[in-house]
Amino acid sequence: MKKKIPAKLFAICAAVLLLASCESTDKAVPASTVPDYTSEDAIAYEMQEIQKALEKEPVKCLWRAKLLEQAHPSRSAIQTLFKTCEDSLVSLYKAELEKRNYLDALRYYQSLKAVGYKELSSLPQQERQLRQNLERNVPGLSTVPESQNTRVADLIKGTVTVFVDKGIKVERGKGYADGVLGSGFFISKNGYIITNHHVIEDCVNPEYDGFARLYIRLAEDPETRIPAKIIGYDKSIDLALLKTEVDAPYVFNLGSSADLDVGDKVYAIGSPLGLDRTLTSGIISSKDRDLFTSARMFQIDAAVNSGNSGGPLIDEQGNVQAIVFAGVQNYQGLNFAIPVEYLRNELPILYAGGARKHPWICAYGKTKRLPGSGVENEGLSVLYTMPGGSALRSGIAVGDTILSVNGVSVSSREDFGSILMQCKADTILSIGVQDAKGHFAEKFVYLEQRPDMPGLEVYRHDAISSALIPLMGMELVSSSTSSKRHYTVKSVIKGSIADESGFNENDTVELIKTEVSEEEYLIIQLYARKRANAFIDVPFGLRVPLDSLYYF
């Protein structure tokens, strides 16, 4: 099954005016829901709403109460409400602890810590102990390492062929067996297996209404189908955790791909085209390919093909350094793998079961670097905040630089994304930001559930002129009092679609129409007078992806 090629490869379509079935740019925009904490009526209403929603949304209500308390720290009624919200979360924390649900207990603990709960040290367990308990039973994280004197034949025994039986497919009156082949590898003695999400997607996709049954085949017994079940899966970074009732003949150790560098030797084991027990070798060609919207990938030159997906990429000591991804077809020699760090971060959440939903704070931005340095990172620069979203409501503004999360230093977008990868939605974080004037402040942010297409939410919640900042990378300002369609380009983000399309500051733009295409792209019709075209009116039709790495 194919995975989408990076968004940049689709960013700019032919400059042809698209005329069919588009909607007007004069769309209605929902109003921002940021309360005015200087208004007594707004304060009273917010307190009332918090009390109403406390039972159903305890974490979010604690966050809202914290924002009120931050704005009015000396008001006794607000302090009482804030304490009530804290006590509610403490009770939930203790209840989850008794049930040994350490994942949710950790989420409640982190939220209490973020808002400065004064009796944190009196809670039954502290964060380090919670994490130890959480990882104690998680396959892959609690695995006893195998002997380092392992033969290649033993490594191959630890891999499996993953097979999704889709029954019989009939075309032109003829029937043939239909199915999906992939690879996987054992991470625990009691039968837990890692593979790619796209291998088992038909088993979990609610839109697929056909037959799909999941099996694995052992390397030593390729003729026997062994039923397997899906424990957890993550579509965003293409991982899935399976379980089968067999004793693993070999259990792989999860390494640390931070030890790898470009040029290092790696080996891939899998079942390309169903040819099980296949071993190929190559090198790491690159460590930072933006293939997915939530993770950076390794590019490798080891030969892999359809069927290798989900197999282990190992180093010369036999440690898993990445998970092979063979989803980009028809590009010979262009192969990728998912770094094992992402799997390590995800395993506790995958083990908890079901679909993994990533969090976000409804913002967009890029790594801030010193001018001309190219490599010296200063933090995560906030370039856009969505109306009504968590970041804006928390007081994070465009131009701010995120420097820390829960006391952990953040120097780049990748650092921030790595922290979010370990978090679940419905959690409060304490974020350290520096504004454009150099003033530092602590902001309290609630993690919303990240939609499949963040750009679609931006498009729905903001005026098109502002929405184009994250969507295309250019900020527009109105240039006509008589028309809502005429704009001037105020700024262009380097490396964005607008930048690659030749837009510059002070170019004039007339937005004709916009259309959401299959909820994956925004089709934009416009006329532009660009400096790059000697200010000649040029018709444009652009297809803009509704997701990217820069939404967080």
Side-chain angles (χ1 to χ4, degrees):
M1 184 172 292
K2 290 186 179 181
K3 196 76 176 177
K4 293 182 179 59
I5 296 175
K8 277 192 176 181
L9 299 183
F10 293 106
I12 306 172
C13 296
V16 177
L17 188 62
L18 305 176
L19 299 174
S21 62
C22 292
E23 63 188 35
S24 169
T25 59
D26 302 330
K27 61 188 182 69
V29 178
S32 173
T33 56
V34 179
D36 179 7
Y37 292 131
T38 64
S39 165
E40 289 299 323
D41 288 342
I43 293 171
Y45 179 78
E46 179 69 357
M47 293 178 67
Q48 185 180 37
E49 290 300 298
I50 291 171
Q51 290 169 336
K52 285 181 182 179
L54 182 56
E55 187 173 346
K56 290 184 178 180
E57 299 180 316
V59 178
K60 193 170 189 177
C61 285
L62 175 61
W63 168 64
R64 293 166 66 179
K66 180 62 181 179
L67 297 183
L68 264 177
E69 189 263 350
Q70 191 179 29
H72 300 281
S74 60
R75 293 184 62 161
S76 59
I78 293 177
Q79 289 288 343
T80 300
L81 176 62
F82 178 57
K83 185 66 166 62
T84 300
C85 293
E86 282 185 323
D87 291 343
S88 175
L89 215 61
V90 168
S91 297
L92 289 170
Y93 167 77
K94 292 178 178 178
E96 295 304 323
L97 210 54
E98 288 183 7
K99 293 186 288 186
R100 297 186 179 181
N101 181 0
Y102 297 113
L103 191 60
D104 281 332
L106 181 61
R107 178 167 61 88
Y108 292 143
Y109 182 96
Q110 289 176 322
S111 298
L112 288 165
K113 182 180 179 180
V115 300
Y117 179 56
K118 296 178 181 178
E119 299 176 39
L120 197 70
S121 60
S122 67
L123 294 178
Q125 293 186 21
Q126 297 302 295
E127 186 168 1
R128 183 177 179 181
Q129 188 177 0
L130 282 170
R131 291 190 180 278
Q132 289 175 344
N133 287 330
L134 175 62
E135 295 179 2
R136 182 167 291 130
N137 297 316
V138 175
L141 300 182
S142 56
T143 301
V144 177
E146 296 273 2
S147 170
Q148 291 299 309
N149 300 318
T150 305
R151 299 176 304 158
V152 172
D154 293 327
L155 296 172
I156 292 175
K157 290 178 184 178
T159 61
V160 301
T161 299
V162 180
F163 176 62
V164 177
D165 182 0
K166 299 174 66 175
I168 302 296
K169 188 173 184 178
V170 178
E171 284 186 355
R172 298 179 181 179
K174 296 181 180 180
Y176 58 90
D178 190 15
V180 178
L181 282 172
S183 302
F185 59 96
F186 286 104
I187 60 168
S188 72
K189 192 68 178 174
N190 61 341
Y192 281 94
I193 295 168
I194 293 299
T195 189
N196 283 147
H197 167 268
H198 76 260
V199 174
I200 55 89
E201 183 174 13
D202 289 329
C203 298
V204 295
N205 185 356
E207 296 180 4
Y208 177 73
D209 58 1
F211 174 84
R213 186 167 292 173
L214 178 63
Y215 301 93
I216 62 110
R217 293 169 176 161
L218 297 175
E220 293 182 302
D221 184 12
E223 295 182 356
T224 302
R225 291 186 181 184
I226 302 172
K229 63 180 178 180
I230 300 164
I231 303 300
Y233 54 95
D234 186 344
K235 179 180 178 181
S236 180
I237 62 170
D238 202 21
L239 292 174
L241 177 66
L242 314 181
K243 177 71 168 70
T244 187
E245 300 305 318
V246 299
D247 286 334
Y250 178 83
V251 177
F252 280 90
N253 304 319
L254 300 184
S256 173
S257 54
D259 298 333
L260 287 183
D261 208 343
V262 173
D264 285 350
K265 188 92 170 183
V266 288
Y267 304 84
I269 309 175
S271 304
L273 304 177
L275 301 173
D276 57 303
R277 296 169 292 173
T278 297
L279 175 72
T280 57
S281 66
I283 60 169
I284 299 291
S285 303
S286 175
K287 293 182 66 176
D288 57 358
R289 297 305 187 202
D290 293 342
L291 188 66
F292 291 169
T293 57
S294 297
R296 281 192 157 183
M297 307 277 284
F298 288 166
Q299 182 181 333
I300 59 175
D301 76 341
V304 298
N305 291 279
S306 177
N308 271 109
S309 290
L313 187 76
I314 60 175
D315 60 20
E316 294 189 298
Q317 287 71 47
N319 297 313
V320 176
Q321 300 290 3
I323 299 87
V324 173
F325 167 79
V328 180
Q329 299 176 3
N330 303 321
Y331 291 88
Q332 187 174 2
L334 189 61
N335 302 310
F336 301 93
I338 305 162
V340 73
E341 269 72 22
Y342 292 116
L343 174 60
R344 283 184 170 278
N345 290 337
E346 290 277 286
L347 269 174
I349 299 174
L350 294 177
Y351 183 62
R356 159 64 154 145
K357 299 295 184 182
H358 287 262
W360 77 319
I361 66 172
C362 311
Y364 170 93
K366 293 191 174 186
T367 300
K368 184 177 181 180
R369 293 186 172 94
L370 290 170
S373 71
V375 294
E376 294 186 46
N377 299 334
E378 290 191 301
L380 173 55
S381 180
V382 179
L383 303 176
Y384 173 85
T385 55
M386 189 178 78
S390 173
L392 181 62
R393 188 164 178 172
S394 299
I396 295 177
V398 172
D400 285 352
T401 302
I402 294 175
L403 300 176
S404 65
V405 178
N406 289 352
V408 178
S409 177
V410 167
S411 64
S412 65
R413 175 187 56 80
E414 289 77 21
D415 287 350
F416 191 83
S418 179
I419 292 173
L420 287 191
M421 192 73 71
Q422 301 175 57
C423 298
K424 291 183 68 176
D426 195 35
T427 305
I428 303 170
L429 299 180
S430 171
I431 295 183
V433 301
Q434 186 178 59
D435 65 19
K437 296 181 179 180
H439 300 139
F440 182 84
E442 185 179 26
K443 306 292 182 180
F444 303 96
V445 180
Y446 176 77
L447 295 183
E448 304 275 2
Q449 183 173 303
R450 190 183 194 272
D452 289 337
M453 294 293 159
L456 184 59
E457 293 301 304
V458 168
Y459 176 70
R460 288 171 173 170
H461 285 80
D462 211 342
I464 189 66
S465 56
S466 298
L468 287 185
I469 297 173
L471 288 170
M472 277 188 65
M474 66 178 180
E475 182 180 4
L476 302 181
V477 292
S478 178
S479 60
S480 173
T481 57
S482 59
S483 173
K484 296 180 180 180
R485 302 176 185 270
H486 292 83
Y487 299 92
T488 299
V489 177
K490 182 179 179 181
S491 62
V492 176
I493 298 172
K494 290 184 179 180
S496 66
I497 293 173
D499 186 31
E500 293 182 353
S501 300
F503 284 94
N504 292 282
E505 292 181 12
N506 300 317
D507 287 348
T508 59
V509 174
E510 181 183 359
L511 294 178
I512 308 302
K513 290 189 179 179
T514 57
E515 174 193 18
V516 175
S517 173
E518 299 177 354
E519 296 198 347
E520 292 188 2
Y521 297 94
L522 180 68
I523 309 298
I524 303 177
Q525 283 188 50
L526 53 87
Y527 278 102
R529 297 190 69 202
K530 301 191 301 179
R531 186 170 66 194
N533 295 89
F535 294 105
I536 299 173
D537 282 341
V538 178
F540 263 83
L542 293 176
R543 186 169 67 159
V544 178
L546 292 172
D547 194 7
S548 80
L549 277 164
Y550 306 107
Y551 292 103
F552 59 86

